């Protein structure tokens, strides 16, 4: 579990760079969740991303890759192997290279949401 805490801290740190532009919906010791200020047709805020410690892995959900799937065009095969579904990346072990790549992907997703006026 200690490794999961380290992974979670790194994934959460990716997201805290954007919290000043977002709404922090959850900030718990094992779950960090960001919404945008954009309100959707169902009158709920648009989800941006989250990191969460689960039983067997740490998950990182990134909604921009669901909304703009072209963001995944240049993602490495190694990071794609961590994908579950269309917008979730799961980590059981720490990998600097993949964390760096996910940081860049999150930044690109933020810019896409910004351009689409979703923030």
């Amino acid at each position: 579990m200690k490794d999961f805490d380290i992974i979670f801290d790194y994934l959460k740190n990716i997201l805290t760079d954007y919290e000043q532009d977002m709404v922090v919906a959850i900030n718990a010791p094992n779950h960090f969740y960001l919404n945008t200020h954009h309100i959707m047709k169902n009158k709920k805020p648009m989800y941006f991303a989250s990191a969460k410690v689960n039983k067997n892995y740490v998950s990182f959900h990134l909604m921009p890759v669901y909304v703009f799937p072209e963001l995944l065009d240049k993602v490495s095969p190694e990071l794609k192997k961590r994908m579950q579904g269309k917008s979730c990346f799961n980590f059981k072990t720490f990998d600097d290279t993949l964390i760096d790549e996910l940081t860049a992907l999150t930044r690109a997703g933020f810019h896409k949401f910004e351009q689409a006026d979703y923030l």
Side-chain angles (χ1 to χ4, degrees), residues 57-73:
Y57 54 86
V58 181
S59 61
F60 188 89
H61 292 265
L62 184 61
M63 187 52 69
V65 300
Y66 180 83
V67 177
F68 301 104
E70 67 273 14
L71 287 167
L72 295 171
D73 289 349

Side-chain angles (χ1 to χ4, degrees), residues 44-95:
K44 294 186 179 186
M46 182 179 239
Y47 172 64
F48 179 72
S50 64
K52 184 177 181 185
V53 177
N54 299 286
K55 183 178 179 181
N56 296 315
Y57 54 86
V58 181
S59 61
F60 188 89
H61 292 265
L62 184 61
M63 187 52 69
V65 300
Y66 180 83
V67 177
F68 301 104
E70 67 273 14
L71 287 167
L72 295 171
D73 289 349
K74 295 181 181 178
V75 169
S76 72
E78 293 79 18
L79 187 56
K80 279 191 178 178
K81 286 180 189 174
R82 302 285 181 119
M83 286 191 78
Q84 178 182 358
K86 295 182 179 182
S87 65
C88 181
F89 301 86
N90 293 332
F91 294 85
K92 292 182 178 183
T93 58
F94 181 80
D95 185 316

